[in-house]
Structure formats: structure tokens, C-alpha cells
């Protein structure tokens, strides 16, 4: 019998034209209009997370530029025919004038120079020679410099399509030469709709709730969604059901989450830990469990404040009932605790310990009607944990009254000018230190540090929490931190001041070299040159 080859769904159902591209209408519309009006740029930059269609759109654009139509007489079009030899060759990856290069493995200046040398030759069998450079941010600085001139003024028959998951690492000199399109993460609704369509075309049955769970697990990536669907089909051996998808993903069923929240409402630590033991016995993913718990709390908050109760895993009646079991303030606090627990799971001794500590933290912050007023020793850590915020969101809980009286005798917090000096003394490392070093201090009143940073990735919740803990340790009392993302007044950040000091030391070192009599003699009498990169300031 001949051997049958199976083609993965992500490859089999990859969009072949703009009309079948899902979730990127803003990019499709702009490119289609440009093609129809013949307003063609020489370089395009596609940015976005993995699996949102960067390479797919590059191939469609290459076809649109070179399609010759079924009769061989077609021109540039926004609707490539997918029938002519050009379209077929690009789809098959064998079109000689469409060159895809992975910058992650071809990142040196020599490889870029070789590519650009080939660009001067006219296309052999096409209108345009199209170069697609994937993960372009991985190129070295010398490779970027090598491509600048060609990227700005390429031959009329050459088009560049650059793709990246990290545009912040691309030099601004390259960005300014490209027409930029930011591809969005796809919504679970868009992904589930496409998965349902493909299941119908494949003749495979599936429960709607199972498809929706796969769409959420894809986390914005259509490619990941199709790969998970492939896995679910193989795992189920037939109809894709919610039970098989939950088992495959290690996902917690909605009833388990409801039981957890019921035990939390009752203040029953024994029951919560028993449920955690059940989850461990069934090999549930604790990371996914905390993510799903945060999702459930989000839907409870929507039910409380917006009247939205629909859900595909936990029914509306349960959502409504849970919305009445907690106050809106409690739900907001529990949501933050679930998120922080998920972020800190990798730091725990093991996942079970991290998960159960998060459950105990939920209980520790649950209000008690018959509880005595907290002592200062007990209240301080509680206020400290509640004080951390991420993004530009406000703190969840206010500091206790006794903390305010204690602050009256405490030394004043630093202003913007003293912030860099404080950063140098903080006991913090890694990305949290980068956050501190690249931040501008906006204000520091009422034990609340308000910062602004220009690099969004530095403002992630885990970095903010570690910086908050370092500030609390430094000042010996609870602190709050909120971080906004935006342009900073460069010279006020610790990183900018450090760079300025380094630059001044470098300048002084260069001046000392050029002032040296021996060096002067070599330059004047022998035509010698000083290589600036070889000059290093003396370490003090």
C-alpha cells in the first residue's frame, strides 16, 4: 500500500489570499487598497506575536505583486488567482524570486551582504523580486547597517517584507524606512469561528465548548489554535469533546473552580486544600487553574457591575450566585492574588506548593465579620502585599490608619532628582532592576511610587511586584508602586545618567589618547589612525 502523508492543519488551511485571512482586517484593508491603487512601498514591516499571520501575509503580498492570472496576462492585484504558475510556486515555496530568510539563523553581516548583492540582479521570472526576512530583530547591528542603504533606495523591481515579534529591538533607522503594520492577537471568538469552519470542512464533529476552550488556550495565535486542534483530534480519536480537551490541556472543569470559590466564601481551608489534592491526583495544570480562576473572577466582576453573566464553561446561574457571595472589592482583590500567584508559580518550590500558597493567600485576605482589629505586626504584611499594582491601575487596598501615623515620623521619600541615587541602593536584580533604572519617578507621596517607563515589557506584573518588595524592604514599611508606559524625560532616569557618565568617561579617554605625544607623532609622521572602538576608559 502507498504510504499516506498527513499535512498539519496549520499548513493545510493556511490562508492563500486576503479574503480568507482572519482577524487582521486593518492590515488586509490597507494592503488591498495600496495594491488596487498601485501605491506600492518598497519595504514593509509586519509586527505581532507568534502565529498571527506575518509569514502568511508576506506570501499573499508576494503573490499579489507577481500574479499573472489564469490566462497569463494578469497584473498586480489585491486578489491573486492562486491558479497561475507564480501563485502555485510561491505557495509551494519554490518560486525563485520570492526569498524567505530566517534572521535567527542568518544574522551576520556576511549573510546580509550576500543577500543584498543578489538584489541588484533583476528577477528571472517575475515583476518583483521579494525578500522576506523573518525575525528581523535578530540581525546584528552590523547586518542592519549593511542593509540600510539598499532598504531606503532599492531597485524598482525589489520589495522587502520584514517580520518580527519584537519591534523594539529594531533600530529606528530601519523602522523609518518601512511601512509598518501591527498584526493583532486574535480574539477567542475569531479563533473558535475558524476552528469550527475547518472542522466542518474536515468532516469532524466537535462540541462547541471544546472548540471554545481550544480557542482560549491558543492565547491569540491562530497557528497555536490549529496545532491544538490537531492534537485534540488525535487525542479524542473521533468527536472532539470538552472532556477530552480538558484532559489533554490539564484544564480544570468549571465545577472545580466553583467549589474552590464556595470554600473560599465559607472560609474553609481544609476543603480548599482537599480540592487542590484532587486536582493534583488528576494531573491538572496548576498554572492553567490559576489562569482559569482569574478568568472566572473576571466574569463574576462583569456580572456584578455590568450585568454580563454569559459563560461557556460555568453556567449563568452559577456566575450570578457567586456574584452574590462576594463584594466587588473582594473579587478585585482575589483577581489580583490569582494573577500574582500565576506569575510567581515558577519561583515556588513546586507547582503544588505555589498553588496551595495562593489559595491560603486568598483565605488570608478574605474579610471576617467577627475578626478583631489587626495588630500592627499582623497588618503590615497584609498592607504590603495589597499595595502592589501593575500598569496604571490604582492600589487595591488602602494602607491601614496606623501605618499613616507611623509614616508621619518617617523620613520623606525621594523626589524625581533623587530617584537614580535610590535605584543604585536598592536590593533588586534582573528585569526589576531594569524597570527601576529606566523609569522616571512622577511622584512618591503617601508611600506610593508612581513611575513611567518607555519599554512596555519592563512594566510586567512580576517586575513591578519585585520592585515594590525591594522598596518596602529599603524603607522598612509597606509601599505601593504603579507604572505607566510612555515617553520618559530621558536624563531623569538612572539608566540615562549612567549612560551619560559612561559617555563622558569615554570622551575623556579618547581626548587623553589623542593628546598623548607619542600618538600625535605617529599620526603626524606616519599617517596612523586611532580606532575609536579600541579605546576603553580606565576602570576606577
Amino acid at each position: 500500500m502507498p504510504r499516506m502523508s498527513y499535512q498539519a492543519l496549520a499548513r493545510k488551511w493556511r490562508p492563500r489570499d486576503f479574503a480568507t485571512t482572519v482577524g487582521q482586517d486593518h492590515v488586509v484593508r490597507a494592503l488591498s487598497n495600496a495594491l488596487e491603487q498601485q501605491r506600492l512601498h518598497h519595504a514593509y514591516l509586519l509586527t505581532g506575536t507568534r502565529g498571527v499571520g506575518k509569514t502568511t501575509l508576506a506570501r499573499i503580498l508576494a503573490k499579489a505583486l507577481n500574479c499573472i492570472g489564469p490566462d497569463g496576462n494578469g497584473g498586480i492585484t489585491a486578489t491573486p488567482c492562486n491558479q497561475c504558475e507564480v501563485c502555485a510556486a510561491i505557495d509551494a515555496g519554490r518560486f525563485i524570486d520570492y526569498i524567505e530568510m530566517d534572521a535567527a539563523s542568518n544574522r551576520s553581516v556576511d549573510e546580509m551582504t550576500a543577500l543584498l548583492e543578489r538584489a541588484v540582479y533583476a528577477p528571472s521570472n517575475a515583476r518583483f523580486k521579494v525578500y522576506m526576512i523573518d525575525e528581523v530583530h535578530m540581525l546584528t547591528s552590523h547586518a542592519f547597517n549593511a542593509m540600510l542603504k539598499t532598504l531606503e533606495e532599492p531597485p524598482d523591481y525589489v520589495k522587502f517584507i520584514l517580520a518580527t515579534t519584537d519591534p523594539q529591538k529594531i533600530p529606528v533607522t530601519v523602522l523609518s524606512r518601512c511601512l509598518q503594520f501591527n498584526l493583532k492577537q486574535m480574539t477567542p471568538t475569531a479563533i473558535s469561528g475558524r476552528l469550527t469552519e475547518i472542522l466542518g470542512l474536515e468532516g469532524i464533529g466537535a462540541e462547541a465548548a471544546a472548540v471554545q476552550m481550544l480557542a482560549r488556550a491558543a492565547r491569540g495565535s491562530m497557528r497555536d489554535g490549529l496545532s491544538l486542534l490537531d492534537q485534540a483530534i488525535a487525542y479524542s480519536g473521533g468527536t472532539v469533546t470538552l472532556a477530552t480537551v480538558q484532559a489533554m490541556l490539564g484544564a480544570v472543569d468549571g465545577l472545580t473552580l466553583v467549589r474552590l470559590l464556595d470554600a473560599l466564601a465559607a472560609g474553609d481551608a481544609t476543603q480548599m486544600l482537599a480540592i487542590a489534592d484532587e486536582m493534583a491526583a488528576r494531573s491538572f495544570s496548576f498554572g492553567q487553574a490559576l489562569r482559569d480562576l482569574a478568568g472566572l473572577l473576571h466574569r463574576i466582576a462583569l456580572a456584578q457591575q455590568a450585568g454580563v453573566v454569559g459563560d461557556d464553561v460555568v453556567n449563568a446561574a452559577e456566575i450570578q450566585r457567586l456574584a452574590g457571595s462576594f463584594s466587588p472589592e473582594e473579587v478585585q482583590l482575589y483577581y489580583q492574588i490569582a494573577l500574582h500567584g500565576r506569575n510567581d508559580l515558577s519561583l515556588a518550590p513546586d507547582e503544588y506548593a505555589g498553588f496551595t500558597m495562593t489559595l491560603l493567600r486568598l483565605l488570608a485576605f478574605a474579610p471576617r465579620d467577627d475578626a478583631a482589629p489587626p495588630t500592627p505586626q499582623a497588618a503590615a504584611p497584609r498592607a504590603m502585599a495589597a499595595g502592589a499594582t501593575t500598569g496604571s491601575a490604582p492600589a487595591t487596598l488602602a494602607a491601614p490608619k496606623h501605618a499613616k501615623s507611623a509614616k508621619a515620623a518617617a523620613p520623606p521619600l525621594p523626589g524625581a532628582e533623587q530617584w537614580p541615587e535610590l535605584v543604585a541602593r536598592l536590593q533588586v536584580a534582573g528585569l526589576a532592576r531594569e524597570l527601576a533604572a529606566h523609569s522616571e519617578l512622577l511622584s512618591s507621596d503617601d508611600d506610593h511610587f508612581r513611575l513611567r517607563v518607555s519599554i512596555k515589557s519592563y512594566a510586567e506584573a512580576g517586575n513591578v511586584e519585585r520592585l515594590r518588595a525591594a522598596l518596602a524592604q529599603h524603607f522598612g514599611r509597606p509601599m505601593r508602586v504603579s507604572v505607566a508606559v510612555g515617553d520618559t524625560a530621558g536624563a531623569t532616569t538612572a539608566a540615562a545618567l549612567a549612560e551619560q557618565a559612561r559617555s563622558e568617561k569615554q570622551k575623556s579617554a579618547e581626548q587623553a589618547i589623542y593628546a598623548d605625544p607619542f600618538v600625535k607623532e605617529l599620526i603626524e609622521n606616519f599617517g596612523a589612525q586611532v580606532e575609536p572602538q579600541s579605546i576603553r576608559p580606565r576602570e576606577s
Side-chain angles (χ1 to χ4, degrees), residues 42 62 65-66 95-99 115-132 154-161:
H42 57 271
L65 291 169
N66 288 307
F95 191 61
I96 193 170
D97 290 313
Y98 175 66
I99 301 97
L115 181 146
L116 296 175
E117 286 175 348
R118 295 196 299 271
V120 300
Y121 299 105
S124 59
N125 191 31
R127 292 187 202 93
F128 298 99
K129 182 178 287 189
V130 181
Y131 289 93
M132 193 279 183
D156 292 340
Y157 48 77
V158 171
K159 302 293 181 187
F160 287 97
I161 305 175

Side-chain angles (χ1 to χ4, degrees), residues 59 62-69 81-98 125-128:
R59 291 183 180 180
K63 289 191 292 185
L65 291 169
N66 288 307
C67 177
I68 59 175
C81 69
N82 289 318
Q83 299 177 28
C84 66
E85 60 183 39
V86 172
C87 290
I90 292 176
D91 281 335
R94 51 180 172 78
F95 191 61
I96 193 170
D97 290 313
Y98 175 66
N125 191 31
R127 292 187 202 93
F128 298 99

Side-chain angles (χ1 to χ4, degrees), residues 97-377:
D97 290 313
Y98 175 66
I99 301 97
E100 284 188 5
M101 185 182 99
D102 180 14
S105 53
N106 301 276
R107 59 194 303 266
S108 72
V109 64
D110 293 336
E111 289 156 331
M112 180 55 63
T113 301
L115 181 146
L116 296 175
E117 286 175 348
R118 295 196 299 271
V120 300
Y121 299 105
S124 59
N125 191 31
R127 292 187 202 93
F128 298 99
K129 182 178 287 189
V130 181
Y131 289 93
M132 193 279 183
I133 305 177
D134 199 10
E135 298 299 348
V136 68
H137 67 273
M138 299 289 286
L139 291 177
T140 65
S141 58
H142 293 300
F144 274 124
N145 291 335
M147 72 185 294
L148 282 179
K149 187 62 177 177
T150 305
L151 192 63
E152 184 174 28
E153 297 179 1
D156 292 340
Y157 48 77
V158 171
K159 302 293 181 187
F160 287 97
I161 305 175
L162 314 181
T164 179
T165 55
D166 196 351
Q168 294 179 343
K169 292 183 179 178
I170 298 178
V172 66
T173 50
V174 173
L175 294 175
S176 65
R177 289 166 166 82
C178 299
L179 202 61
Q180 300 179 44
F181 296 99
N182 182 31
L183 277 65
K184 300 181 294 187
Q185 281 193 319
M186 300 190 189
T187 64
T189 301
I191 295 175
S192 65
R194 180 60 174 164
L195 297 186
T196 300
E197 179 185 354
I198 289 173
L199 283 164
L201 294 170
E202 292 282 327
I204 298 172
E207 294 178 0
V211 177
Q212 290 162 353
M213 178 168 281
L214 290 171
R216 288 196 302 273
R219 299 178 66 78
S221 168
M222 180 62 75
R223 184 176 64 226
D224 287 5
L226 289 168
S227 297
L228 287 170
L229 180 59
D230 247 333
Q231 185 179 348
I233 292 170
Y235 188 88
S236 63
T239 301
V240 179
T241 65
L242 179 60
T244 57
V245 170
Q246 286 176 335
M248 181 188 82
L249 297 176
V252 182
D253 58 272
L255 178 59
T256 300
L257 296 177
V258 170
R259 290 170 57 210
L260 268 177
L261 290 184
D262 282 338
L264 174 60
D268 191 342
T270 302
Q271 176 64 9
M272 294 184 77
L273 293 177
I275 294 172
D277 290 339
E278 290 178 22
M279 294 167 61
R282 295 166 64 184
S283 298
F284 284 148
S285 165
F286 288 121
Q288 184 64 41
L290 288 172
R291 186 181 291 119
D292 291 343
L293 180 60
L296 177 56
L297 289 164
H298 167 246
R299 291 188 286 274
I300 293 171
L302 291 177
Q304 288 177 329
Q305 302 188 44
V308 179
V309 296
D311 182 63
D312 50 12
V313 177
V314 178
N315 64 43
E318 292 287 6
I319 294 286
Q320 200 70 272
R321 182 179 64 79
L322 289 168
S325 299
F326 305 101
S327 70
E329 293 81 7
E330 288 177 85
V331 173
Q332 294 293 329
L333 176 59
Y334 297 156
Y335 177 80
Q336 287 291 330
I337 291 174
L339 289 183
H340 281 293
R342 172 69 183 86
N343 291 335
D344 292 343
L345 209 57
S346 62
L347 304 176
D350 55 68
E351 286 207 344
Y352 176 82
F355 181 71
T356 51
M357 280 299 290
T358 302
L359 298 185
L360 295 175
R361 193 176 303 137
L362 291 169
L363 280 168
F365 285 98
R368 297 290 178 264
D369 293 337
D370 57 350
T375 63
Q377 291 83 359

